[in-house]
Each structure stands twice: as structure tokens, then as C-alpha cells.
Amino acid sequence: MTEQIQLPNQNFASTQGEINLTDMPNDWLIVYFYPKDNTPGCTTQAVGFSCLKDQFDALNTTIIGVSRDSVKTHQNFTEKQALTINLISDKEEVLCKHFDVIKEKNMYGKQVMGIERSTFIFHKGQLIKEYRKVKAAGHAEIVLEDLKALQK
């Protein structure tokens, strides 16, 4: 059995200022990791979560996206795509390592270390469900349906 992932009690820079994942206003928290702002899959995923934000809000759920991009890059991405979700800049890979999402990937025939698209659902700080090797298209809808089922 793998060790349960806990939310780290520290502040991170985000598009909405400094935040601490242990201090979220809602009972439910979705933390999703993605490789890079303004790339096709990552845009699909971020726009998907943004389009469904009202439905997640209605389920008392906060959505946070995480990548290694800077806050400035995140802000440009947010403006360009009209995103409604908060994005954390994890340039030092603190969260990426904590959630074990840095994996060896094959990029144009080269082995590189990058973020494996992953999503985690927490309820009152406890990990309830995790998704690894996520496909971007339709993922936000899957998470929303699973969240509804978990809340029944």
C-alpha cells in the first residue's frame, strides 16, 4: 500500500496571490498537474476546468492547476484563455516532487524529466481519489462526474 499523500502546509505563488493548499475555503479540493502553459493539451484541460467552474463551485470545490511555469506565464495563459481557475507556479518542483508527478518522458526521441498529467481530489485535506497519466480531452468532465458520485 502506498503512503497517503498529504497536502503540504506551505505557501505557493499563484495567479491569485500566495496560497496554502491546507487553507482552502471549500471542503473539496482538486489539484491538477500539467506540463506547460499555452500548449494544446494543457489549454484543453485548463479551459475544461474553467468552463465547469460554476458546477465545481456548486459542489463546494476549489480547483487549482499546477505547473513549473512562472506566475507571469500563468497570468498570460489565464488572460489569453479567459481561465477562471487559480494556477500555482511550482518552478522549484516542490509540489511536483511531493505528489510524485515528475516522470521520465520521451520527447522527440530524447528522454526528459517532465510533469506527468495527474489530478488529485481531496476532501477536508484527505486524499480521496487520484488520476495518473491523464488524457486532457474530457478530463474535467470525468472529474466532475466522479466528484458528484463521491458526494452522494
Side-chain angles (χ1 to χ4, degrees):
M1 170 118 184
T2 57
E3 190 178 318
Q4 182 85 337
I5 296 171
Q6 299 293 318
L7 292 169
N9 186 4
Q10 70 185 88
N11 292 336
F12 296 95
S14 80
T15 50
Q16 297 173 12
E18 290 275 311
I19 62 166
N20 185 322
L21 295 175
T22 63
D23 192 28
M24 293 286 103
N26 294 322
D27 286 345
W28 293 83
L29 172 65
I30 293 168
V31 181
Y32 81 93
F33 291 83
Y34 64 99
K36 193 153 182 57
D37 290 343
N38 290 306
T39 56
C42 300
T43 299
T44 296
Q45 192 172 16
V47 168
F49 277 118
S50 288
C51 288
L52 297 173
K53 185 177 181 297
D54 289 346
Q55 292 181 58
F56 282 107
D57 286 347
L59 296 170
N60 196 22
T61 304
T62 302
I63 303 164
I64 307 282
V66 182
S67 82
R68 298 182 294 187
D69 294 302
S70 69
V71 170
K72 184 170 177 29
T73 304
H74 280 343
Q75 286 167 335
N76 292 341
F77 184 41
T78 298
E79 288 168 26
K80 185 176 175 186
Q81 302 299 335
L83 302 179
T84 57
I85 56 175
N86 196 358
L87 302 176
I88 286 178
S89 170
D90 191 29
K91 288 195 294 193
E92 283 77 42
E93 300 180 353
V94 172
L95 282 171
C96 290
K97 288 176 180 163
H98 184 84
F99 282 85
D100 191 28
V101 298
I102 300 288
K103 304 290 181 189
E104 194 173 89
K105 299 166 97 177
N106 194 348
M107 203 166 211
Y108 307 112
K110 282 187 177 162
Q111 294 301 314
V112 297
M113 298 305 283
I115 293 178
E116 178 181 83
R117 202 180 300 279
S118 307
T119 302
F120 303 85
I121 299 177
F122 289 88
H123 180 247
K124 295 182 179 176
Q126 295 298 311
L127 180 64
I128 303 297
K129 187 171 178 76
E130 65 182 87
Y131 308 78
R132 301 281 183 165
K133 297 182 181 172
V134 167
K135 299 284 179 247
H139 180 62
E141 291 83 355
I142 291 166
V143 173
L144 181 63
E145 291 310 310
D146 287 352
L147 186 65
K148 288 176 183 174
L150 288 167
Q151 291 187 6
K152 285 190 173 151

Coordinates of all heavy atoms in Angstrom, one line a residue, residues 18 23 32 35 54 60-61 64-65 72 84-85 87 93 99 102-103 108-110 116 119 126-128 135 139:
E18 N -0.4 34.6 -3.0 CA 0.1 33.5 -2.2 C -1.0 32.6 -1.7 O -2.0 33.2 -1.1 CB 0.9 34.0 -1.0 CG 2.3 34.6 -1.4 CD 3.4 33.7 -1.5 OE1 3.6 32.8 -0.7 OE2 4.1 33.7 -2.6
D23 N -5.3 25.5 3.5 CA -6.1 26.6 4.0 C -7.1 27.0 2.9 O -7.2 28.2 2.6 CB -5.2 27.8 4.4 CG -6.0 28.8 5.1 OD1 -7.0 28.5 5.8 OD2 -5.6 30.0 5.1
Y32 N -4.6 19.7 -9.9 CA -4.2 19.0 -11.1 C -2.9 19.6 -11.6 O -2.6 20.7 -11.5 CB -5.3 19.0 -12.2 CG -5.4 20.2 -13.0 CD1 -4.7 20.3 -14.2 CD2 -6.2 21.3 -12.6 CE1 -4.9 21.5 -15.0 CE2 -6.3 22.5 -13.4 CZ -5.6 22.5 -14.6 OH -5.7 23.6 -15.4
P35 N 1.9 19.8 -17.8 CA 3.2 20.1 -18.2 C 3.6 21.6 -18.5 O 4.5 22.1 -18.0 CB 3.4 19.3 -19.5 CG 2.5 18.2 -19.4 CD 1.3 18.8 -18.7
D54 N -18.3 26.8 -12.4 CA -19.6 27.1 -11.7 C -20.2 25.8 -11.1 O -20.7 25.8 -10.0 CB -20.6 27.7 -12.6 CG -20.3 29.1 -12.9 OD1 -19.4 29.7 -12.3 OD2 -20.9 29.7 -13.9
N60 N -19.0 22.8 -3.7 CA -18.1 23.3 -2.7 C -16.7 22.8 -2.9 O -16.0 22.3 -2.0 CB -18.7 22.7 -1.3 CG -18.0 23.5 -0.1 OD1 -17.6 24.6 -0.2 ND2 -18.0 22.8 1.0
T61 N -16.2 23.0 -4.2 CA -14.9 22.5 -4.6 C -14.1 23.6 -5.2 O -14.5 24.4 -6.1 CB -15.1 21.4 -5.7 OG1 -16.0 20.4 -5.1 CG2 -13.8 20.8 -6.1
I64 N -7.3 23.9 -8.4 CA -6.0 24.5 -8.5 C -5.2 23.8 -9.6 O -5.0 22.5 -9.5 CB -5.2 24.5 -7.2 CG1 -6.1 25.0 -6.0 CG2 -3.9 25.1 -7.3 CD1 -6.1 26.5 -6.0
G65 N -4.7 24.5 -10.6 CA -3.8 23.9 -11.5 C -2.3 24.2 -11.1 O -2.0 25.3 -10.6
K72 N 4.0 34.9 -14.0 CA 3.8 35.7 -15.2 C 3.3 34.9 -16.4 O 2.4 35.4 -17.0 CB 5.1 36.5 -15.5 CG 5.0 37.5 -16.6 CD 6.2 38.3 -16.8 CE 6.2 39.3 -17.9 NZ 5.0 39.9 -18.3
T84 N -10.7 30.7 -15.4 CA -11.4 31.2 -14.2 C -10.8 30.4 -13.0 O -11.3 30.6 -11.9 CB -12.9 30.9 -14.3 OG1 -13.1 29.6 -14.5 CG2 -13.5 31.8 -15.3
I85 N -9.8 29.6 -13.2 CA -9.2 28.8 -12.1 C -7.9 29.4 -11.7 O -7.2 30.1 -12.5 CB -9.1 27.3 -12.5 CG1 -8.2 27.2 -13.8 CG2 -10.5 26.7 -12.7 CD1 -7.9 25.8 -14.2
L87 N -3.9 29.2 -10.7 CA -2.8 28.4 -11.2 C -1.6 28.7 -10.3 O -1.2 29.8 -10.0 CB -2.4 28.7 -12.6 CG -3.5 28.5 -13.7 CD1 -3.0 29.0 -15.0 CD2 -3.9 27.0 -13.7
E93 N 9.7 22.9 -8.2 CA 9.1 21.5 -8.2 C 8.8 20.9 -6.8 O 8.8 19.7 -6.6 CB 10.1 20.5 -9.0 CG 10.3 20.9 -10.4 CD 11.3 20.0 -11.1 OE1 11.9 19.1 -10.5 OE2 11.4 20.2 -12.3
F99 N 4.0 15.3 -4.9 CA 2.9 14.5 -5.5 C 3.5 13.4 -6.4 O 2.7 12.7 -7.0 CB 1.9 15.4 -6.2 CG 0.9 16.1 -5.3 CD1 1.2 17.3 -4.7 CD2 -0.3 15.5 -5.0 CE1 0.3 17.9 -3.8 CE2 -1.2 16.2 -4.2 CZ -0.9 17.4 -3.6
I102 N 6.8 14.1 -11.4 CA 7.9 14.3 -12.3 C 8.3 12.9 -12.8 O 8.7 12.1 -12.0 CB 9.1 15.0 -11.7 CG1 8.7 16.4 -11.2 CG2 10.3 15.1 -12.6 CD1 8.4 17.4 -12.3
K103 N 8.2 12.7 -14.1 CA 8.5 11.3 -14.6 C 9.3 11.5 -15.9 O 9.4 12.5 -16.5 CB 7.1 10.6 -15.0 CG 6.1 10.5 -13.9 CD 6.6 9.5 -12.9 CE 5.6 9.4 -11.8 NZ 6.0 8.6 -10.6
Y108 N 10.5 13.9 -28.6 CA 11.3 13.9 -29.9 C 12.5 13.0 -29.8 O 13.6 13.3 -30.3 CB 11.8 15.4 -30.2 CG 10.6 16.3 -30.2 CD1 10.6 17.3 -29.2 CD2 9.6 16.3 -31.1 CE1 9.5 18.2 -29.2 CE2 8.5 17.2 -31.1 CZ 8.5 18.1 -30.1 OH 7.4 19.0 -30.1
G109 N 12.3 11.8 -29.3 CA 13.3 10.8 -29.2 C 14.3 10.9 -28.1 O 15.2 10.1 -27.9
K110 N 14.2 12.0 -27.3 CA 15.1 12.2 -26.1 C 14.3 11.9 -24.8 O 13.1 12.2 -24.7 CB 15.5 13.7 -26.1 CG 16.6 14.0 -27.0 CD 17.1 15.4 -26.7 CE 18.3 15.8 -27.6 NZ 18.4 17.3 -27.7
E116 N 4.0 14.5 -15.4 CA 3.0 13.6 -15.9 C 1.7 14.2 -15.5 O 1.4 14.4 -14.3 CB 3.2 12.2 -15.3 CG 2.2 11.2 -15.7 CD 2.5 9.9 -15.0 OE1 2.0 9.7 -13.8 OE2 3.1 9.0 -15.6
T119 N -4.2 14.3 -11.5 CA -5.2 15.0 -10.8 C -5.5 14.3 -9.5 O -5.5 13.1 -9.4 CB -6.5 15.1 -11.6 OG1 -6.2 15.8 -12.9 CG2 -7.6 15.9 -10.9
Q126 N -8.0 15.3 3.1 CA -7.7 13.8 2.9 C -7.8 13.5 1.4 O -8.8 13.8 0.7 CB -8.7 12.9 3.7 CG -8.6 13.1 5.2 CD -7.2 12.7 5.7 OE1 -6.7 11.6 5.4 NE2 -6.6 13.6 6.5
L127 N -6.8 12.8 0.9 CA -6.8 12.3 -0.5 C -7.9 11.3 -0.7 O -8.0 10.3 0.0 CB -5.5 11.7 -0.9 CG -5.4 11.2 -2.4 CD1 -5.6 12.4 -3.3 CD2 -4.1 10.5 -2.6
I128 N -8.8 11.6 -1.6 CA -10.0 10.7 -1.8 C -9.8 9.9 -3.1 O -10.1 8.7 -3.2 CB -11.3 11.5 -2.0 CG1 -11.5 12.3 -0.7 CG2 -12.5 10.5 -2.3 CD1 -11.7 11.5 0.6
K135 N -5.5 11.9 -19.8 CA -5.7 12.4 -21.1 C -6.5 13.7 -20.9 O -7.5 13.8 -20.2 CB -6.5 11.5 -22.0 CG -5.8 10.1 -22.2 CD -4.7 10.2 -23.2 CE -4.0 8.9 -23.4 NZ -2.6 8.9 -22.9
H139 N -11.2 15.3 -19.5 CA -10.9 15.0 -18.2 C -11.7 15.8 -17.1 O -12.1 15.2 -16.1 CB -9.4 15.2 -18.0 CG -8.9 14.9 -16.6 ND1 -9.0 13.6 -16.1 CD2 -8.4 15.7 -15.6 CE1 -8.5 13.7 -14.8 NE2 -8.2 14.9 -14.5

